[in-house]
Amino acid sequence: MNTPNNNSTNGNRIIPLTCSGHTRPVVDIQFSSITPQGKYYLISACKDGNPMLREGVTGDWIGTFQGHKGAVWSARLSRDAEKAVTGSADFSAKVWNTHNGQELHSFVHNHIVRAADFNEDSTKILTGGKEQKLRIFDLYRPEAPPMELQGHEGMIKAVVWDEAHRHSVLSAGDDATVRIWDLRTMRQSGTIQCEAPISTMTFDGSGEYIAWAAGKTANFWKPGSSFEDVKTIVTKEKTSSVSLHPGHKKFVAGSDEDLWVRIYDFESGEVSEVYKGHHGPIHTVSYSPDGEIYATGSEDGTIRLWQTDPTKSYGLWQK
């Protein structure tokens, strides 16, 4: 396809909002679920070592979690957005209070922590990284030794906690394998093999699909279905991150080889929209839980918020 030279859809210009504040590449972003108060938030991990929390709709800065001594590779919010967990190159994973920014727990590892996630009720965290092992820490007993799961043959770059479908956790990374672990037996219950290392993996906003990027593919799987039943869409560019719209009609993808944000049709796998706004490759993308906006994080140190439907008044995009 021909790359458009302006950011427009059906004659409506797409103008992203730029969220500044980070000083190095932004490598991980995540929108929270919608809280009981009807709000949602955005958290970002950055190589500057200072993860940040923002208002989801506007991108306004709320606060910075200060305490890591190295690049932060992963940042996730609990379901109620009351806590945050971050994984860092300083060999630690930290849990934070999102109201006051205070560190609640710090869990020491023996190497870089590349990925972390909360369980459903935010009582445990899951971590993975350079050590090629998964650890589960109990936040009610933070001093207790973690449970461990081993089997990966390369660095773990992504972890997802899935209690709703299989009472399991999933992990993926440089060995090009998604591994599903049964928490009842603490054993591996299945694998999904990919043709390239996996860079990111997340649940979509509805909690129905798990999506991951692997080389020049975007992959989508419904937990509870067979391990062979994966929808794989081949992309022309190396895909660094994917996020499925909560309505399951489209997904956004970023590439660490160019500056373009691409929207794909989920059914056909064809590119439907292409936008440029960043000045560096895109490492991470995420749809908001209501599907109205999506965020992109880049090598250029910024986060940009993009409106899904430019004809609507939403947030700071008032007509």
Side-chain angles (χ1 to χ4, degrees):
M1 65 172 292
N2 294 324
T3 302
N5 57 17
N6 57 36
N7 288 359
S8 63
T9 298
N10 298 324
N12 294 288
R13 187 159 175 78
I14 302 290
I15 303 174
L17 302 177
T18 301
C19 304
S20 303
H22 284 301
T23 58
R24 295 199 63 203
V26 178
V27 292
D28 191 33
I29 53 178
Q30 183 223 15
F31 280 106
S32 74
S33 302
I34 297 175
T35 67
Q37 294 75 34
K39 303 182 70 174
Y40 63 84
Y41 301 91
L42 177 67
I43 193 170
S44 56
C46 181
K47 289 185 181 180
D48 63 10
N50 296 311
M52 292 184 179
L53 183 68
R54 299 176 186 275
E55 292 281 352
V57 173
T58 63
D60 290 343
W61 177 83
I62 295 173
T64 300
F65 302 107
Q66 297 181 323
H68 279 297
K69 305 299 182 185
V72 175
W73 286 102
S74 176
R76 291 287 180 267
L77 290 165
S78 60
R79 181 167 290 275
D80 59 8
E82 300 282 328
K83 298 186 185 75
V85 60
T86 53
S88 173
D90 66 7
F91 297 12
S92 76
K94 295 182 184 290
V95 179
W96 312 83
N97 181 317
T98 58
H99 292 283
N100 57 25
Q102 295 300 304
E103 180 183 304
L104 299 174
H105 308 287
S106 185
F107 299 102
V108 176
H109 294 62
N110 296 321
H111 217 302
I112 295 169
V113 182
R114 283 295 301 262
D117 194 19
F118 285 103
N119 69 336
E120 186 80 12
D121 62 5
S122 314
T123 59
K124 297 181 177 68
I125 62 165
L126 170 70
T127 66
K130 190 74 170 177
E131 292 178 81
Q132 304 179 20
K133 69 170 66 172
L134 295 168
R135 289 183 172 88
I136 297 174
F137 295 91
D138 188 336
L139 301 186
Y140 283 142
R141 299 187 303 132
E143 71 290 337
M147 295 186 288
E148 296 185 352
L149 299 164
Q150 297 191 58
H152 275 285
E153 298 172 358
M155 180 162 56
I156 299 168
K157 289 185 174 178
V159 297
V160 170
W161 205 303
D162 175 30
E163 291 177 303
H165 301 92
R166 292 177 179 266
H167 197 70
S168 61
V169 296
L170 292 86
S171 54
D174 282 348
D175 61 6
T177 305
V178 176
R179 300 179 188 272
I180 300 94
W181 308 84
D182 190 322
L183 295 177
R184 294 162 295 192
T185 62
M186 296 299 289
R187 295 181 181 275
Q188 192 170 280
S189 60
T191 61
I192 300 171
Q193 197 65 40
C194 299
E195 295 183 2
I198 297 155
S199 53
T200 59
M201 179 173 64
T202 58
F203 258 116
D204 78 290
S206 70
E208 189 172 342
Y209 283 91
I210 290 174
W212 64 87
K216 292 186 175 182
T217 64
N219 306 270
F220 305 90
W221 179 64
K222 282 188 176 184
S225 60
S226 75
F227 300 132
E228 291 76 35
D229 190 20
V230 177
K231 182 181 179 74
T232 296
I233 294 172
V234 176
T235 57
K236 292 181 179 179
E237 304 76 19
K238 182 176 180 292
T239 299
S240 58
S241 180
V242 295
S243 181
L244 181 62
H245 187 275
H248 306 150
K249 300 294 186 183
K250 54 190 170 184
F251 66 92
V252 59
S255 175
D256 50 18
E257 292 185 340
D258 63 24
L259 312 180
W260 298 95
V261 179
R262 294 176 176 86
I263 306 297
Y264 287 78
D265 182 276
F266 185 58
E267 291 303 319
S268 69
E270 296 296 323
V271 176
S272 59
E273 304 166 46
V274 181
Y275 304 114
K276 186 179 178 183
H278 285 290
H279 302 291
I282 297 162
H283 296 307
T284 176
V285 298
S286 182
Y287 264 110
S288 64
D290 59 6
E292 294 291 343
I293 58 175
Y294 55 92
T296 54
S298 168
E299 181 78 14
D300 66 14
T302 68
I303 299 164
R304 294 177 193 256
L305 302 182
W306 308 75
Q307 194 175 12
T308 301
D309 182 354
T311 66
K312 296 175 66 174
S313 290
Y314 187 84
L316 297 179
W317 292 274
Q318 296 301 323
K319 307 303 178 189

